[in-house]
Amino acid sequence: MNACMHRDYQANMPIRLYQFDDYIEVMNAGGLYGEARPENFPSVNDYRNPLVAEAMRVMKYVNKFNRGVTRVQEMLKDNGNPSAEFDVNTITAFRVNIHATNESDLSKGTSQPLSQPPSQSIEEKIVEFCKEPRSGAEIAAHCGFKDIKYFRERYLNPLLGTRIQMTIPDKPTSRNQKYIATTQQD
């Protein structure tokens, strides 16, 4: 989405997505733009294509301006991958490399070294933590997330009705809303 939103549409270079054995590379025409500079990226951004950016936001392809890089880094961390590497020093192109955890993981089809036990997934952490009623903010903090809205959309809402339930289901937006793990019946 960021590659489409921020690319330089006056250039002929297409958006490139390369998949290698140990990393993925995304590259698009146009480097940083406007107020965004290598020394302040990613905390400052600017929109080369404000109409495209606004249209993508309205159509819900992107949820919040200036959140894409942070969101990608959080998702990679959640998946056990190292952070994405952004090459922002080229004037005519923008490159992002996303690496696998390590080469042995690729050949074994896992994102974690086999010498370590698999870590508990975020979903499992939520269910375990919600054995007692917990607020959305408490659950997000327990799982290491600061952006509660993102956490709710990405992790909490998909578990509703199957693994967790609301304590006040008739008032889903209540400030007193809490979540509790559902009891599994055999």
Side-chain angles (χ1 to χ4, degrees):
M1 291 300 140
N2 277 356
C4 291
M5 186 180 344
H6 293 291
R7 72 161 284 146
D8 180 356
Y9 283 99
Q10 293 181 352
N12 291 331
M13 177 184 148
I15 294 173
R16 298 177 183 168
L17 174 67
Y18 297 110
Q19 183 175 345
F20 298 95
D21 287 341
D22 59 343
Y23 72 100
I24 297 170
E25 180 178 272
V26 180
M27 193 168 164
N28 65 293
L32 294 176
Y33 178 79
E35 298 298 316
R37 308 256 187 276
E39 60 273 8
N40 64 18
F41 177 84
S43 33
V44 173
N45 80 345
D46 209 336
Y47 295 94
R48 178 181 280 114
N49 307 302
L51 294 175
V52 172
E54 180 62 17
M56 291 177 82
R57 187 188 66 76
V58 168
M59 292 186 291
K60 300 193 187 295
Y61 286 114
V62 297
N63 65 352
K64 209 181 225 184
F65 286 179
N66 203 25
R67 265 294 283 143
V69 171
T70 304
R71 227 174 137 210
V72 165
Q73 299 294 37
E74 288 171 355
M75 292 168 83
L76 287 168
K77 181 181 174 188
D78 293 347
N79 195 40
N81 292 87
S83 296
E85 298 170 357
F86 295 89
D87 181 355
V88 296
N89 294 311
T90 308
I91 295 171
T92 59
F94 188 90
R95 177 182 292 128
V96 182
N97 290 333
I98 303 163
H99 292 271
T101 305
N102 65 42
E103 288 181 38
S104 66
D105 296 345
L106 292 167
S107 62
K108 294 179 176 102
T110 177
S111 63
Q112 297 181 11
L114 294 180
S115 59
Q116 299 175 2
S119 64
Q120 193 177 34
S121 72
I122 290 176
E123 291 81 3
E124 293 300 323
K125 274 184 164 180
I126 293 168
V127 173
E128 180 71 26
F129 190 62
C130 288
K131 286 185 176 178
E132 297 178 22
R134 309 285 185 164
S135 71
E138 287 176 308
I139 302 166
H142 176 74
C143 294
F145 286 83
K146 294 177 184 168
D147 186 337
I148 296 168
K149 184 178 178 189
Y150 166 76
F151 178 78
R152 181 173 282 120
E153 290 170 6
R154 175 81 165 87
Y155 296 102
L156 209 52
N157 289 346
L159 293 174
L160 280 173
T162 57
R163 312 245 353 242
I164 61 171
Q165 60 190 19
M166 295 179 182
T167 57
I168 313 170
D170 55 326
K171 295 183 181 176
T173 59
S174 169
R175 65 185 179 132
N176 297 319
Q177 187 63 260
K178 295 198 178 206
Y179 302 87
I180 189 163
T182 57
T183 55
Q184 298 292 328
Q185 301 202 1
D186 297 329

